[in-house]
Amino acid sequence: MQYILIMVLITAVIIFVFGTWRAMKISKIAVALIEKYENDKKNPALIQEIFDALREDFRLNKILQQHNATVDDIKVLHRKLMKWGDFRKYNRYVPITSFFNVTTLKYLLEHKSDDAKSLTEKMMNHFHI
């Protein structure tokens, strides 16, 4: 019985460490993109880099596949978020950070036909901006 509890504890620690590592990796990618395109926000390479980063992460890629999302979907959503959320608060920039969170990405893809203001407000509320 004691060995089972030890195995459960070890498994929980491994899951926690892996989850923390993944979160930090995604955050680092988002901040790097924010800094790289801070003065070049309309560069089309940004959309491709966001899409490529989403495809590399297993959880975010799963959401992309569930919604059959394409680069064009990301482009349209980014344009909508830029309309009302084009400002930076610390390491948060709504038009980029919104794509690197599981819940916000899912919301964006499920509501991609919504108007720009409601999408941006929802993302700003999520990130406490």
Side-chain angles (χ1 to χ4, degrees):
M1 182 68 179
Q2 192 175 18
Y3 293 113
I4 293 172
L5 291 175
I6 291 172
M7 292 304 292
V8 169
L9 179 63
I10 290 171
T11 303
V13 168
I14 290 171
I15 290 170
F16 174 77
V17 168
F18 180 71
T20 303
W21 173 79
R22 183 193 156 276
M24 291 180 76
K25 177 183 165 194
I26 292 298
S27 178
K28 184 178 177 182
I29 292 169
V31 170
L33 287 175
I34 291 168
E35 290 175 358
K36 182 176 180 181
Y37 292 101
E38 187 171 19
N39 297 319
D40 193 15
K41 298 173 184 172
K42 299 193 189 267
N43 190 333
L46 170 62
I47 305 302
Q48 188 61 48
E49 284 193 48
I50 291 172
F51 189 74
D52 292 343
L54 296 177
R55 297 288 301 206
E56 288 178 12
D57 183 70
F58 72 96
R59 291 183 75 195
L60 298 174
N61 187 34
K62 185 177 177 182
I63 294 170
L64 288 177
Q65 290 175 349
Q66 286 174 349
H67 297 289
N68 297 318
T70 63
V71 175
D72 292 332
D73 293 331
I74 302 300
K75 185 178 186 178
V76 168
L77 288 167
H78 183 265
R79 192 177 315 128
K80 286 183 178 185
L81 294 173
M82 284 287 291
K83 185 173 182 179
W84 292 94
D86 187 16
F87 60 90
R88 182 176 178 177
K89 182 179 180 183
Y90 307 115
N91 285 333
R92 293 183 183 131
Y93 180 62
V94 171
I96 293 176
T97 311
S98 299
F99 295 106
F100 291 97
N101 184 294
V102 173
T103 55
T104 56
L105 178 62
K106 187 174 182 179
Y107 182 86
L108 286 171
L109 292 174
E110 288 174 354
H111 297 90
K112 59 185 166 189
S113 61
D114 290 3
D115 65 301
K117 187 173 183 181
S118 67
L119 282 177
T120 306
E121 285 177 348
K122 183 73 172 180
M123 297 303 108
M124 289 170 64
N125 288 336
H126 179 82
F127 294 116
H128 304 289
I129 296 176

